[in-house]
PDB file of all heavy atoms in Angstrom:
ATOM      1  N   LYS A   1       0.825  -1.212   0.000  1.00 86.00           N
ATOM      2  CA  LYS A   1       0.000   0.000   0.000  1.00 86.00           C
ATOM      3  C   LYS A   1       0.861   1.266   0.000  1.00 86.00           C
ATOM      4  O   LYS A   1       0.386   2.349   0.351  1.00 86.00           O
ATOM      5  CB  LYS A   1      -0.890   0.004   1.254  1.00 86.00           C
ATOM      6  CG  LYS A   1      -1.937  -1.086   1.295  1.00 86.00           C
ATOM      7  CD  LYS A   1      -3.125  -0.710   0.441  1.00 86.00           C
ATOM      8  CE  LYS A   1      -4.270  -1.697   0.649  1.00 86.00           C
ATOM      9  NZ  LYS A   1      -5.465  -1.313  -0.110  1.00 86.00           N
ATOM     10  N   THR A   2       2.119   1.108  -0.389  1.00 85.00           N
ATOM     11  CA  THR A   2       3.049   2.232  -0.292  1.00 85.00           C
ATOM     12  C   THR A   2       2.579   3.434  -1.120  1.00 85.00           C
ATOM     13  O   THR A   2       2.578   4.570  -0.641  1.00 85.00           O
ATOM     14  CB  THR A   2       4.453   1.803  -0.755  1.00 85.00           C
ATOM     15  OG1 THR A   2       4.857   0.648  -0.009  1.00 85.00           O
ATOM     16  CG2 THR A   2       5.461   2.913  -0.531  1.00 85.00           C
ATOM     17  N   LYS A   3       2.165   3.187  -2.352  1.00 87.00           N
ATOM     18  CA  LYS A   3       1.743   4.292  -3.218  1.00 87.00           C
ATOM     19  C   LYS A   3       0.500   4.979  -2.668  1.00 87.00           C
ATOM     20  O   LYS A   3       0.415   6.215  -2.638  1.00 87.00           O
ATOM     21  CB  LYS A   3       1.487   3.781  -4.632  1.00 87.00           C
ATOM     22  CG  LYS A   3       2.741   3.362  -5.377  1.00 87.00           C
ATOM     23  CD  LYS A   3       2.406   2.923  -6.793  1.00 87.00           C
ATOM     24  CE  LYS A   3       3.674   2.520  -7.558  1.00 87.00           C
ATOM     25  NZ  LYS A   3       3.357   2.079  -8.938  1.00 87.00           N
ATOM     26  N   GLU A   4      -0.481   4.173  -2.233  1.00 87.00           N
ATOM     27  CA  GLU A   4      -1.704   4.758  -1.691  1.00 87.00           C
ATOM     28  C   GLU A   4      -1.416   5.576  -0.444  1.00 87.00           C
ATOM     29  O   GLU A   4      -1.930   6.686  -0.266  1.00 87.00           O
ATOM     30  CB  GLU A   4      -2.724   3.665  -1.368  1.00 87.00           C
ATOM     31  CG  GLU A   4      -3.257   2.931  -2.577  1.00 87.00           C
ATOM     32  CD  GLU A   4      -2.436   1.698  -2.922  1.00 87.00           C
ATOM     33  OE1 GLU A   4      -1.212   1.691  -2.621  1.00 87.00           O
ATOM     34  OE2 GLU A   4      -3.009   0.757  -3.484  1.00 87.00           O
ATOM     35  N   HIS A   5      -0.562   5.016   0.438  1.00 86.00           N
ATOM     36  CA  HIS A   5      -0.244   5.721   1.678  1.00 86.00           C
ATOM     37  C   HIS A   5       0.518   7.017   1.386  1.00 86.00           C
ATOM     38  O   HIS A   5       0.244   8.052   2.012  1.00 86.00           O
ATOM     39  CB  HIS A   5       0.598   4.822   2.585  1.00 86.00           C
ATOM     40  CG  HIS A   5       1.068   5.496   3.838  1.00 86.00           C
ATOM     41  ND1 HIS A   5       0.221   5.801   4.876  1.00 86.00           N
ATOM     42  CD2 HIS A   5       2.299   5.954   4.203  1.00 86.00           C
ATOM     43  CE1 HIS A   5       0.899   6.403   5.826  1.00 86.00           C
ATOM     44  NE2 HIS A   5       2.155   6.514   5.453  1.00 86.00           N
ATOM     45  N   THR A   6       1.440   6.963   0.447  1.00 86.00           N
ATOM     46  CA  THR A   6       2.196   8.165   0.083  1.00 86.00           C
ATOM     47  C   THR A   6       1.274   9.245  -0.459  1.00 86.00           C
ATOM     48  O   THR A   6       1.406  10.427  -0.112  1.00 86.00           O
ATOM     49  CB  THR A   6       3.275   7.822  -0.968  1.00 86.00           C
ATOM     50  OG1 THR A   6       4.160   6.823  -0.426  1.00 86.00           O
ATOM     51  CG2 THR A   6       4.078   9.061  -1.339  1.00 86.00           C
ATOM     52  N   ALA A   7       0.312   8.817  -1.295  1.00 86.00           N
ATOM     53  CA  ALA A   7      -0.633   9.782  -1.863  1.00 86.00           C
ATOM     54  C   ALA A   7      -1.483  10.415  -0.765  1.00 86.00           C
ATOM     55  O   ALA A   7      -1.709  11.633  -0.757  1.00 86.00           O
ATOM     56  CB  ALA A   7      -1.527   9.102  -2.891  1.00 86.00           C
ATOM     57  N   LEU A   8      -1.958   9.606   0.184  1.00 86.00           N
ATOM     58  CA  LEU A   8      -2.770  10.137   1.274  1.00 86.00           C
ATOM     59  C   LEU A   8      -1.950  11.057   2.179  1.00 86.00           C
ATOM     60  O   LEU A   8      -2.444  12.086   2.649  1.00 86.00           O
ATOM     61  CB  LEU A   8      -3.358   8.984   2.102  1.00 86.00           C
ATOM     62  CG  LEU A   8      -4.501   8.206   1.446  1.00 86.00           C
ATOM     63  CD1 LEU A   8      -4.878   7.008   2.297  1.00 86.00           C
ATOM     64  CD2 LEU A   8      -5.718   9.103   1.251  1.00 86.00           C
ATOM     65  N   THR A   9      -0.689  10.692   2.418  1.00 83.00           N
ATOM     66  CA  THR A   9       0.185  11.524   3.241  1.00 83.00           C
ATOM     67  C   THR A   9       0.425  12.875   2.575  1.00 83.00           C
ATOM     68  O   THR A   9       0.379  13.932   3.225  1.00 83.00           O
ATOM     69  CB  THR A   9       1.531  10.817   3.494  1.00 83.00           C
ATOM     70  OG1 THR A   9       1.291   9.552   4.124  1.00 83.00           O
ATOM     71  CG2 THR A   9       2.433  11.659   4.383  1.00 83.00           C
ATOM     72  N   GLU A  10       0.671  12.841   1.259  1.00 85.00           N
ATOM     73  CA  GLU A  10       0.894  14.093   0.532  1.00 85.00           C
ATOM     74  C   GLU A  10      -0.372  14.948   0.529  1.00 85.00           C
ATOM     75  O   GLU A  10      -0.307  16.176   0.659  1.00 85.00           O
ATOM     76  CB  GLU A  10       1.334  13.795  -0.900  1.00 85.00           C
ATOM     77  CG  GLU A  10       2.745  13.202  -0.995  1.00 85.00           C
ATOM     78  CD  GLU A  10       3.117  12.824  -2.422  1.00 85.00           C
ATOM     79  OE1 GLU A  10       2.230  12.909  -3.303  1.00 85.00           O
ATOM     80  OE2 GLU A  10       4.275  12.437  -2.651  1.00 85.00           O
ATOM     81  N   LEU A  11      -1.523  14.288   0.391  1.00 86.00           N
ATOM     82  CA  LEU A  11      -2.787  15.018   0.404  1.00 86.00           C
ATOM     83  C   LEU A  11      -3.004  15.683   1.761  1.00 86.00           C
ATOM     84  O   LEU A  11      -3.403  16.850   1.846  1.00 86.00           O
ATOM     85  CB  LEU A  11      -3.948  14.060   0.096  1.00 86.00           C
ATOM     86  CG  LEU A  11      -5.348  14.674   0.105  1.00 86.00           C
ATOM     87  CD1 LEU A  11      -5.466  15.765  -0.946  1.00 86.00           C
ATOM     88  CD2 LEU A  11      -6.397  13.594  -0.132  1.00 86.00           C
ATOM     89  N   GLU A  12      -2.731  14.941   2.836  1.00 84.00           N
ATOM     90  CA  GLU A  12      -2.870  15.499   4.178  1.00 84.00           C
ATOM     91  C   GLU A  12      -1.914  16.668   4.370  1.00 84.00           C
ATOM     92  O   GLU A  12      -2.266  17.680   4.990  1.00 84.00           O
ATOM     93  CB  GLU A  12      -2.601  14.415   5.228  1.00 84.00           C
ATOM     94  CG  GLU A  12      -2.813  14.893   6.654  1.00 84.00           C
ATOM     95  CD  GLU A  12      -2.589  13.795   7.669  1.00 84.00           C
ATOM     96  OE1 GLU A  12      -2.437  12.630   7.263  1.00 84.00           O
ATOM     97  OE2 GLU A  12      -2.561  14.105   8.867  1.00 84.00           O
ATOM     98  N   TYR A  13      -0.700  16.558   3.836  1.00 83.00           N
ATOM     99  CA  TYR A  13       0.272  17.658   3.941  1.00 83.00           C
ATOM    100  C   TYR A  13      -0.243  18.893   3.204  1.00 83.00           C
ATOM    101  O   TYR A  13      -0.186  20.015   3.722  1.00 83.00           O
ATOM    102  CB  TYR A  13       1.618  17.209   3.358  1.00 83.00           C
ATOM    103  CG  TYR A  13       2.683  18.286   3.405  1.00 83.00           C
ATOM    104  CD1 TYR A  13       3.500  18.430   4.519  1.00 83.00           C
ATOM    105  CD2 TYR A  13       2.859  19.171   2.331  1.00 83.00           C
ATOM    106  CE1 TYR A  13       4.473  19.426   4.575  1.00 83.00           C
ATOM    107  CE2 TYR A  13       3.820  20.170   2.380  1.00 83.00           C
ATOM    108  CZ  TYR A  13       4.626  20.279   3.504  1.00 83.00           C
ATOM    109  OH  TYR A  13       5.572  21.274   3.544  1.00 83.00           O
ATOM    110  N   LEU A  14      -0.764  18.694   1.984  1.00 86.00           N
ATOM    111  CA  LEU A  14      -1.253  19.825   1.202  1.00 86.00           C
ATOM    112  C   LEU A  14      -2.427  20.506   1.881  1.00 86.00           C
ATOM    113  O   LEU A  14      -2.574  21.732   1.808  1.00 86.00           O
ATOM    114  CB  LEU A  14      -1.657  19.351  -0.201  1.00 86.00           C
ATOM    115  CG  LEU A  14      -0.514  18.936  -1.132  1.00 86.00           C
ATOM    116  CD1 LEU A  14      -1.074  18.339  -2.406  1.00 86.00           C
ATOM    117  CD2 LEU A  14       0.398  20.116  -1.447  1.00 86.00           C
ATOM    118  N   VAL A  15      -3.261  19.718   2.532  1.00 86.00           N
ATOM    119  CA  VAL A  15      -4.430  20.282   3.209  1.00 86.00           C
ATOM    120  C   VAL A  15      -3.998  21.213   4.342  1.00 86.00           C
ATOM    121  O   VAL A  15      -4.669  22.206   4.631  1.00 86.00           O
ATOM    122  CB  VAL A  15      -5.334  19.147   3.745  1.00 86.00           C
ATOM    123  CG1 VAL A  15      -6.368  19.677   4.724  1.00 86.00           C
ATOM    124  CG2 VAL A  15      -6.046  18.455   2.585  1.00 86.00           C
ATOM    125  N   GLN A  16      -2.867  20.931   4.986  1.00 87.00           N
ATOM    126  CA  GLN A  16      -2.468  21.664   6.184  1.00 87.00           C
ATOM    127  C   GLN A  16      -1.333  22.665   5.953  1.00 87.00           C
ATOM    128  O   GLN A  16      -0.957  23.379   6.877  1.00 87.00           O
ATOM    129  CB  GLN A  16      -2.036  20.697   7.289  1.00 87.00           C
ATOM    130  CG  GLN A  16      -3.141  19.788   7.781  1.00 87.00           C
ATOM    131  CD  GLN A  16      -2.772  19.127   9.079  1.00 87.00           C
ATOM    132  OE1 GLN A  16      -2.911  19.692  10.156  1.00 87.00           O
ATOM    133  NE2 GLN A  16      -2.273  17.909   8.982  1.00 87.00           N
ATOM    134  N   HIS A  17      -0.773  22.720   4.744  1.00 88.00           N
ATOM    135  CA  HIS A  17       0.391  23.578   4.523  1.00 88.00           C
ATOM    136  C   HIS A  17       0.160  24.553   3.375  1.00 88.00           C
ATOM    137  O   HIS A  17      -0.541  24.241   2.402  1.00 88.00           O
ATOM    138  CB  HIS A  17       1.637  22.730   4.230  1.00 88.00           C
ATOM    139  CG  HIS A  17       2.151  21.990   5.426  1.00 88.00           C
ATOM    140  ND1 HIS A  17       1.553  20.839   5.890  1.00 88.00           N
ATOM    141  CD2 HIS A  17       3.194  22.242   6.269  1.00 88.00           C
ATOM    142  CE1 HIS A  17       2.208  20.405   6.959  1.00 88.00           C
ATOM    143  NE2 HIS A  17       3.202  21.244   7.205  1.00 88.00           N
ATOM    144  N   ASP A  18       0.760  25.716   3.503  1.00 88.00           N
ATOM    145  CA  ASP A  18       0.721  26.745   2.471  1.00 88.00           C
ATOM    146  C   ASP A  18       1.532  26.297   1.263  1.00 88.00           C
ATOM    147  O   ASP A  18       2.686  25.882   1.398  1.00 88.00           O
ATOM    148  CB  ASP A  18       1.283  28.045   3.043  1.00 88.00           C
ATOM    149  CG  ASP A  18       1.385  29.138   2.006  1.00 88.00           C
ATOM    150  OD1 ASP A  18       0.435  29.286   1.228  1.00 88.00           O
ATOM    151  OD2 ASP A  18       2.416  29.828   1.968  1.00 88.00           O
ATOM    152  N   VAL A  19       0.921  26.365   0.090  1.00 88.00           N
ATOM    153  CA  VAL A  19       1.570  25.868  -1.123  1.00 88.00           C
ATOM    154  C   VAL A  19       2.834  26.661  -1.434  1.00 88.00           C
ATOM    155  O   VAL A  19       3.846  26.098  -1.869  1.00 88.00           O
ATOM    156  CB  VAL A  19       0.592  25.941  -2.321  1.00 88.00           C
ATOM    157  CG1 VAL A  19       1.286  25.530  -3.607  1.00 88.00           C
ATOM    158  CG2 VAL A  19      -0.613  25.053  -2.073  1.00 88.00           C
ATOM    159  N   LEU A  20       2.807  27.973  -1.195  1.00 89.00           N
ATOM    160  CA  LEU A  20       3.941  28.823  -1.567  1.00 89.00           C
ATOM    161  C   LEU A  20       5.131  28.637  -0.625  1.00 89.00           C
ATOM    162  O   LEU A  20       6.250  28.388  -1.063  1.00 89.00           O
ATOM    163  CB  LEU A  20       3.509  30.296  -1.579  1.00 89.00           C
ATOM    164  CG  LEU A  20       4.609  31.319  -1.859  1.00 89.00           C
ATOM    165  CD1 LEU A  20       5.163  31.129  -3.266  1.00 89.00           C
ATOM    166  CD2 LEU A  20       4.072  32.741  -1.682  1.00 89.00           C
ATOM    167  N   THR A  21       4.886  28.757   0.681  1.00 88.00           N
ATOM    168  CA  THR A  21       5.995  28.802   1.645  1.00 88.00           C
ATOM    169  C   THR A  21       6.276  27.471   2.319  1.00 88.00           C
ATOM    170  O   THR A  21       7.352  27.296   2.906  1.00 88.00           O
ATOM    171  CB  THR A  21       5.697  29.838   2.733  1.00 88.00           C
ATOM    172  OG1 THR A  21       4.514  29.428   3.460  1.00 88.00           O
ATOM    173  CG2 THR A  21       5.448  31.213   2.123  1.00 88.00           C
ATOM    174  N   GLY A  22       5.329  26.537   2.272  1.00 88.00           N
ATOM    175  CA  GLY A  22       5.502  25.272   2.985  1.00 88.00           C
ATOM    176  C   GLY A  22       5.207  25.376   4.472  1.00 88.00           C
ATOM    177  O   GLY A  22       5.299  24.378   5.199  1.00 88.00           O
ATOM    178  N   LEU A  23       4.834  26.579   4.954  1.00 89.00           N
ATOM    179  CA  LEU A  23       4.459  26.739   6.353  1.00 89.00           C
ATOM    180  C   LEU A  23       3.043  26.217   6.579  1.00 89.00           C
ATOM    181  O   LEU A  23       2.289  25.985   5.628  1.00 89.00           O
ATOM    182  CB  LEU A  23       4.508  28.220   6.747  1.00 89.00           C
ATOM    183  CG  LEU A  23       5.850  28.939   6.579  1.00 89.00           C
ATOM    184  CD1 LEU A  23       5.677  30.421   6.902  1.00 89.00           C
ATOM    185  CD2 LEU A  23       6.921  28.317   7.459  1.00 89.00           C
ATOM    186  N   PHE A  24       2.668  26.039   7.839  1.00 88.00           N
ATOM    187  CA  PHE A  24       1.278  25.707   8.144  1.00 88.00           C
ATOM    188  C   PHE A  24       0.360  26.768   7.556  1.00 88.00           C
ATOM    189  O   PHE A  24       0.649  27.973   7.634  1.00 88.00           O
ATOM    190  CB  PHE A  24       1.050  25.660   9.656  1.00 88.00           C
ATOM    191  CG  PHE A  24       1.361  24.321  10.287  1.00 88.00           C
ATOM    192  CD1 PHE A  24       2.099  24.253  11.457  1.00 88.00           C
ATOM    193  CD2 PHE A  24       0.910  23.148   9.724  1.00 88.00           C
ATOM    194  CE1 PHE A  24       2.386  23.035  12.043  1.00 88.00           C
ATOM    195  CE2 PHE A  24       1.187  21.920  10.296  1.00 88.00           C
ATOM    196  CZ  PHE A  24       1.933  21.867  11.457  1.00 88.00           C
ATOM    197  N   ASN A  25      -0.745  26.332   6.945  1.00 90.00           N
ATOM    198  CA  ASN A  25      -1.773  27.272   6.522  1.00 90.00           C
ATOM    199  C   ASN A  25      -2.792  27.432   7.650  1.00 90.00           C
ATOM    200  O   ASN A  25      -2.560  27.006   8.777  1.00 90.00           O
ATOM    201  CB  ASN A  25      -2.432  26.815   5.214  1.00 90.00           C
ATOM    202  CG  ASN A  25      -3.070  25.437   5.344  1.00 90.00           C
ATOM    203  OD1 ASN A  25      -3.295  24.925   6.457  1.00 90.00           O
ATOM    204  ND2 ASN A  25      -3.374  24.812   4.230  1.00 90.00           N
ATOM    205  N   ARG A  26      -3.927  28.055   7.364  1.00 88.00           N
ATOM    206  CA  ARG A  26      -4.917  28.313   8.403  1.00 88.00           C
ATOM    207  C   ARG A  26      -5.409  27.015   9.051  1.00 88.00           C
ATOM    208  O   ARG A  26      -5.575  26.944  10.276  1.00 88.00           O
ATOM    209  CB  ARG A  26      -6.099  29.100   7.816  1.00 88.00           C
ATOM    210  CG  ARG A  26      -7.093  29.602   8.856  1.00 88.00           C
ATOM    211  CD  ARG A  26      -8.143  30.476   8.194  1.00 88.00           C
ATOM    212  NE  ARG A  26      -7.587  31.703   7.677  1.00 88.00           N
ATOM    213  CZ  ARG A  26      -7.440  32.811   8.405  1.00 88.00           C
ATOM    214  NH1 ARG A  26      -7.801  32.823   9.669  1.00 88.00           N
ATOM    215  NH2 ARG A  26      -6.946  33.896   7.853  1.00 88.00           N
ATOM    216  N   ARG A  27      -5.649  25.970   8.241  1.00 90.00           N
ATOM    217  CA  ARG A  27      -6.103  24.694   8.797  1.00 90.00           C
ATOM    218  C   ARG A  27      -4.999  24.056   9.639  1.00 90.00           C
ATOM    219  O   ARG A  27      -5.251  23.548  10.741  1.00 90.00           O
ATOM    220  CB  ARG A  27      -6.525  23.742   7.674  1.00 90.00           C
ATOM    221  CG  ARG A  27      -7.039  22.392   8.181  1.00 90.00           C
ATOM    222  CD  ARG A  27      -7.248  21.436   7.017  1.00 90.00           C
ATOM    223  NE  ARG A  27      -8.341  21.873   6.191  1.00 90.00           N
ATOM    224  CZ  ARG A  27      -9.623  21.570   6.428  1.00 90.00           C
ATOM    225  NH1 ARG A  27      -9.937  20.860   7.487  1.00 90.00           N
ATOM    226  NH2 ARG A  27     -10.562  21.984   5.612  1.00 90.00           N
ATOM    227  N   GLY A  28      -3.766  24.075   9.122  1.00 89.00           N
ATOM    228  CA  GLY A  28      -2.659  23.501   9.879  1.00 89.00           C
ATOM    229  C   GLY A  28      -2.426  24.245  11.182  1.00 89.00           C
ATOM    230  O   GLY A  28      -2.138  23.631  12.223  1.00 89.00           O
ATOM    231  N   PHE A  29      -2.551  25.591  11.129  1.00 89.00           N
ATOM    232  CA  PHE A  29      -2.398  26.388  12.347  1.00 89.00           C
ATOM    233  C   PHE A  29      -3.463  26.016  13.367  1.00 89.00           C
ATOM    234  O   PHE A  29      -3.175  25.861  14.562  1.00 89.00           O
ATOM    235  CB  PHE A  29      -2.499  27.877  11.996  1.00 89.00           C
ATOM    236  CG  PHE A  29      -2.763  28.775  13.172  1.00 89.00           C
ATOM    237  CD1 PHE A  29      -1.774  29.032  14.099  1.00 89.00           C
ATOM    238  CD2 PHE A  29      -4.009  29.352  13.348  1.00 89.00           C
ATOM    239  CE1 PHE A  29      -2.018  29.856  15.185  1.00 89.00           C
ATOM    240  CE2 PHE A  29      -4.267  30.172  14.426  1.00 89.00           C
ATOM    241  CZ  PHE A  29      -3.265  30.426  15.346  1.00 89.00           C
ATOM    242  N   ARG A  30      -4.702  25.857  12.899  1.00 91.00           N
ATOM    243  CA  ARG A  30      -5.782  25.518  13.833  1.00 91.00           C
ATOM    244  C   ARG A  30      -5.555  24.137  14.446  1.00 91.00           C
ATOM    245  O   ARG A  30      -5.783  23.938  15.648  1.00 91.00           O
ATOM    246  CB  ARG A  30      -7.127  25.575  13.121  1.00 91.00           C
ATOM    247  CG  ARG A  30      -8.296  25.408  14.083  1.00 91.00           C
ATOM    248  CD  ARG A  30      -9.638  25.630  13.416  1.00 91.00           C
ATOM    249  NE  ARG A  30     -10.698  25.522  14.384  1.00 91.00           N
ATOM    250  CZ  ARG A  30     -11.111  26.511  15.166  1.00 91.00           C
ATOM    251  NH1 ARG A  30     -10.553  27.691  15.070  1.00 91.00           N
ATOM    252  NH2 ARG A  30     -12.091  26.325  16.036  1.00 91.00           N
ATOM    253  N   ASN A  31      -5.118  23.184  13.636  1.00 91.00           N
ATOM    254  CA  ASN A  31      -4.829  21.850  14.174  1.00 91.00           C
ATOM    255  C   ASN A  31      -3.714  21.913  15.212  1.00 91.00           C
ATOM    256  O   ASN A  31      -3.774  21.240  16.248  1.00 91.00           O
ATOM    257  CB  ASN A  31      -4.444  20.897  13.036  1.00 91.00           C
ATOM    258  CG  ASN A  31      -5.614  20.568  12.139  1.00 91.00           C
ATOM    259  OD1 ASN A  31      -6.764  20.752  12.517  1.00 91.00           O
ATOM    260  ND2 ASN A  31      -5.341  20.093  10.937  1.00 91.00           N
ATOM    261  N   TYR A  32      -2.690  22.726  14.923  1.00 90.00           N
ATOM    262  CA  TYR A  32      -1.603  22.899  15.893  1.00 90.00           C
ATOM    263  C   TYR A  32      -2.142  23.503  17.190  1.00 90.00           C
ATOM    264  O   TYR A  32      -1.776  23.062  18.287  1.00 90.00           O
ATOM    265  CB  TYR A  32      -0.522  23.806  15.295  1.00 90.00           C
ATOM    266  CG  TYR A  32       0.596  24.132  16.257  1.00 90.00           C
ATOM    267  CD1 TYR A  32       1.717  23.318  16.353  1.00 90.00           C
ATOM    268  CD2 TYR A  32       0.523  25.261  17.081  1.00 90.00           C
ATOM    269  CE1 TYR A  32       2.743  23.615  17.242  1.00 90.00           C
ATOM    270  CE2 TYR A  32       1.531  25.561  17.973  1.00 90.00           C
ATOM    271  CZ  TYR A  32       2.641  24.736  18.048  1.00 90.00           C
ATOM    272  OH  TYR A  32       3.641  25.032  18.939  1.00 90.00           O
ATOM    273  N   MET A  33      -2.992  24.508  17.058  1.00 89.00           N
ATOM    274  CA  MET A  33      -3.548  25.150  18.240  1.00 89.00           C
ATOM    275  C   MET A  33      -4.406  24.189  19.059  1.00 89.00           C
ATOM    276  O   MET A  33      -4.399  24.220  20.294  1.00 89.00           O
ATOM    277  CB  MET A  33      -4.377  26.371  17.827  1.00 89.00           C
ATOM    278  CG  MET A  33      -3.557  27.557  17.363  1.00 89.00           C
ATOM    279  SD  MET A  33      -2.573  28.277  18.704  1.00 89.00           S
ATOM    280  CE  MET A  33      -3.866  28.932  19.752  1.00 89.00           C
ATOM    281  N   GLU A  34      -5.158  23.331  18.374  1.00 91.00           N
ATOM    282  CA  GLU A  34      -5.982  22.352  19.096  1.00 91.00           C
ATOM    283  C   GLU A  34      -5.107  21.413  19.921  1.00 91.00           C
ATOM    284  O   GLU A  34      -5.449  21.067  21.060  1.00 91.00           O
ATOM    285  CB  GLU A  34      -6.843  21.571  18.103  1.00 91.00           C
ATOM    286  CG  GLU A  34      -7.994  22.390  17.529  1.00 91.00           C
ATOM    287  CD  GLU A  34      -8.770  21.641  16.462  1.00 91.00           C
ATOM    288  OE1 GLU A  34      -8.333  20.525  16.086  1.00 91.00           O
ATOM    289  OE2 GLU A  34      -9.808  22.166  15.999  1.00 91.00           O
TER     290      GLU A  34
END
């Protein structure tokens, strides 16, 4: 399941990180705060 897991991991990263800078985006910041 390596390919599937890698794809899901990358998707989760994109959901939580700013595309330009690679920093946490608003969702990632909120998850960190929680």
Side-chain angles (χ1 to χ4, degrees):
K1 294 280 189 177
T2 306
K3 290 182 179 179
E4 294 91 331
H5 175 72
T6 301
L8 286 174
T9 302
E10 290 176 353
L11 179 61
E12 184 178 351
Y13 179 88
L14 290 173
V15 167
Q16 296 195 83
H17 289 77
D18 175 43
V19 176
L20 176 64
T21 63
L23 301 175
F24 274 134
N25 59 16
R26 189 175 293 273
R27 181 188 292 274
F29 163 73
R30 187 173 183 85
N31 290 342
Y32 176 89
M33 287 293 293
E34 287 175 354

